[in-house]
Amino acid sequence: MSKFAVLGYGVVGSGVVELFYKNKEKIQKRAGDEMDVKYILDIRDFPDSPYKDKFVKTIDEIVNDPEIKAVAECMGGVEPAFTFSKKCLEKGISVSTSNKELVAAKGDILLALAKEHNCNYFFEASVGGAIPIIRPLHKCLAANDIDSVAGILNGTTNFILTKMINEGMKFDTALKLAQELGYAEKDPTADVEGHDACRKICIISSLVYGRHVYPDSVHTQGISDIKLEDVQIVNKWGGSIKLIAKVSELENGKILPLVMPMIVPFDNLISRVDDVFNAVLVSGNGIDKTLFYGRGAGKLPTASAVLGDVIDSVKHDRTVFSQSWESVSDNSFVEDWHNYKAPVYFRVDTDVTDTVKFVKEMCPENCELVDAPNGQLCFITPVVSLTEADSLKEKLESAGAKVVSLIPVLK
Ligand code: HSE
């Protein structure tokens, strides 16, 4: 019999318990052992819960019980989740987590600790909700040199953008709905300002490129500056604006992770990924491109990923399967984000009448003019660095035009 504990009884933790009992027989067959939830750790009381006898308030009750084989950490935040996870791993209890904030901040330490104590620190649920992406990256795709990983990694913002664009819903109403549906973080600024997507691209970058990438070394821009006018112009042109998290390996050996709104042309499947869905496009020298798609947030989709890890912990007790990556003391292997290269969309307020002549004189060769309302000029540059795009902005503004929007196109 393999007993496990659930830390945190919020959206994900309660989903883990619900999905476990819903599918218990099948889960046990797949684990090759009988299983049960022995403890649920939460500081709150749940007197009406059918599981009220399982609730405990201290981690020591869990780690000191020799029957506990695995733990599902669904608390969120760095502390006390870090201390609790450490205590479990030091006792040889495998931990499966949905806590991207913790993995992005301290994943290297917890992975090393798991290895040292002959157990596992699994984090499939920390990126992409229900989508299997962590295991594919470090197992199925391990034979590839990965050039880039790019995608939509935040369900809340994708849900908000979809509701605003397709249903004309106001931002605040869409955000409230995302909160009610259990998609948003406790503090939804983490979603809206891109920090959640940043944590996820840090985890992917660390896993793929083998060195810990910290959130503060990743340029992060959220969706709060996206304007409906640009969404409409870009739609007519043939693309969608999405919050994209991307990491690429450069020729100089550095990596360039970043999170920003980008234009995704309609010939890229990611442009059609709507609602709470996430998608991750992996490019490698063996696979060319592989796309992963599924629900990126929500109670049962995330619980599914956590429980998959718990089942693996039980099945492979005492075998270290989880990947590790190097701790680093400096981030010189991370390229300055200003050197990110892409075609860039500009929307400019201008009273110039001969826009073709204006673009020809002011902008790089081969800019593509985009249909725009009167008094506005829209164009897409050829591939430039974001530094070059900024210089172009300054040049246009010194000629009396006002650059309203500047958005890279996903390549
Ligand atoms: N707030 C996150 C999101 C939850 O919306 O994607 C899943 O990590």
Side-chain angles (χ1 to χ4, degrees), residues 131-147:
I131 306 175
I133 183 65
I134 299 299
R135 267 182 196 67
L137 279 175
H138 83 87
K139 285 182 183 282
C140 324
L141 304 182
N144 285 264
D145 191 2
I146 307 277
D147 315 315

Side-chain angles (χ1 to χ4, degrees), residues 12-70:
V12 180
S14 61
V16 166
V17 177
E18 182 184 327
L19 192 62
F20 174 74
Y21 285 111
K22 195 173 176 176
N23 296 337
K24 188 174 174 190
E25 275 183 27
K26 290 201 167 94
I27 287 174
Q28 293 184 133
K29 265 197 195 133
R30 287 170 189 153
D33 193 8
E34 284 186 15
M35 288 176 68
D36 205 2
V37 177
K38 184 160 185 186
Y39 302 111
I40 304 170
L41 176 81
D42 203 291
I43 46 169
R44 297 163 297 175
D45 292 315
F46 294 87
D48 302 325
S49 164
Y51 312 111
K52 60 178 183 291
D53 298 337
K54 297 182 189 288
F55 280 88
V56 292
K57 293 220 181 315
T58 69
I59 189 71
D60 294 333
E61 280 174 80
I62 295 169
V63 296
N64 292 329
D65 183 338
E67 275 194 327
I68 292 296
K69 293 275 175 18

Side-chain angles (χ1 to χ4, degrees), residues 12 98 100 125-129 153-159 178 182-186 188 190-191 196-197 200 276 278 295-298 302:
V12 180
S98 56
K100 50 264 153 132
S126 67
V127 180
L153 293 183
N154 182 267
T156 301
T157 44
N158 207 39
F159 177 84
Y183 301 158
E185 298 301 296
K186 248 184 229 159
D191 296 295
D196 179 75
K200 292 167 178 167
V276 72
N278 282 191
R295 286 187 179 272
T302 313

